Amino acid sequence: MHTPKDLPPSVIRSSLDSLDLEGYITFHDVHNASKDFGNRYHLPPLAILHPRSASDISTVMRHIVRSTSNLTVAARGHGHSLQGQALAHQGVVINMESLLPSHDIKIYKGKQPYVDVSGGELWIDILRETLRYGLSPKSWTDYLHLTVGGTLSNAGISGQAFKHGPQINNVYQLEIVTGKGEVVTCSEKRNSELFQSVLGGLGQFGIITRARISLGPAPLMMEICSPGLGE
Ligand SMILES: Cc1cc2nc3c(=O)[nH]c(=O)nc-3n(C[C@H](O)[C@H](O)[C@H](O)COP(=O)(O)OP(=O)(O)OC[C@H]3O[C@@H](n4cnc5c(N)ncnc54)[C@H](O)[C@@H]3O)c2cc1C
């Protein structure tokens, strides 16, 4: 008899396949999720989750905790890690960019402007949208084709960091799916331990599904190095 920890892949596949999700899980076409920008590691996952909502991620996490608890999970942003950080060998990779269609960019103007975005949003798209209001994130990355979740799990460094600190110093609030599948809102004042752990936490303390990011007046002139911003 198999214990939950050594279930054969076919059983894990069919149990994951039976979950009721807004998005979907695929067990084929895992090639892209087997490597990252560094191209040094080739570690195919068992499955890729394409979530449409935080609830999808929560459902899968709860299922894994309940049934197949040694299955590893990794959130994948734009896959620009160099050392396989966004890979899950024979585990589940969560394609965070799938969250986008149902989660748009919401900008709040006022004395302390901010933007609410999906964890799978690219910084280039946030900059494009906020510039329409004369605003921009206070702290960027120099290369902008990276996701919010991917850089907030590290630090997020650019030319503005000397003045405003890295991106993780410019976040008001996060929505997180924890390792147990709970969906938790956190900030400096609310669930602050989780907030501080996830920021710069290398994806080990929870999955960032939404982020509230501090904005400031956009500089009147800037040098754009990122391809496609002027399109
Ligand atoms: C060409 C290039 C240019 C770069 N430029 C800069 C730069 O200017 N400034 C800078 O600071 N860094 C830069 N980096 C480094 C980059 O910020 C990090 O590698 C970043 O983690 C990549 O973001 P990503 O969206 O590709 O994340 P991924 O590589 O997909 O993931 C990175 C890590 O974050 C975790 N993760 C991803 N999404 C989430 C989520 N939603 N919730 C929780 N964890 C998550 C993953 O599991 C993984 O551990 C650059 C890298 C490259 C290759």
Side-chain angles (χ1 to χ4, degrees), residues 181-198:
E182 296 154 326
V183 183
V184 180
T185 300
C186 60
S187 65
E188 267 180 19
K189 293 196 171 147
R190 189 173 168 194
N191 299 310
S192 62
E193 198 176 351
L194 181 64
F195 185 69
Q196 302 296 350
S197 305
V198 167

Side-chain angles (χ1 to χ4, degrees), residues 37 75 77-81 85 142-143 146-147 150 153-154 156-157 203 206 208:
F37 195 88
H78 210 53
H80 270 45
S81 294
Q85 293 95 324
D142 290 330
Y143 179 71
L146 304 167
T147 64
S153 299
N154 286 274
I157 304 290
I208 301 167

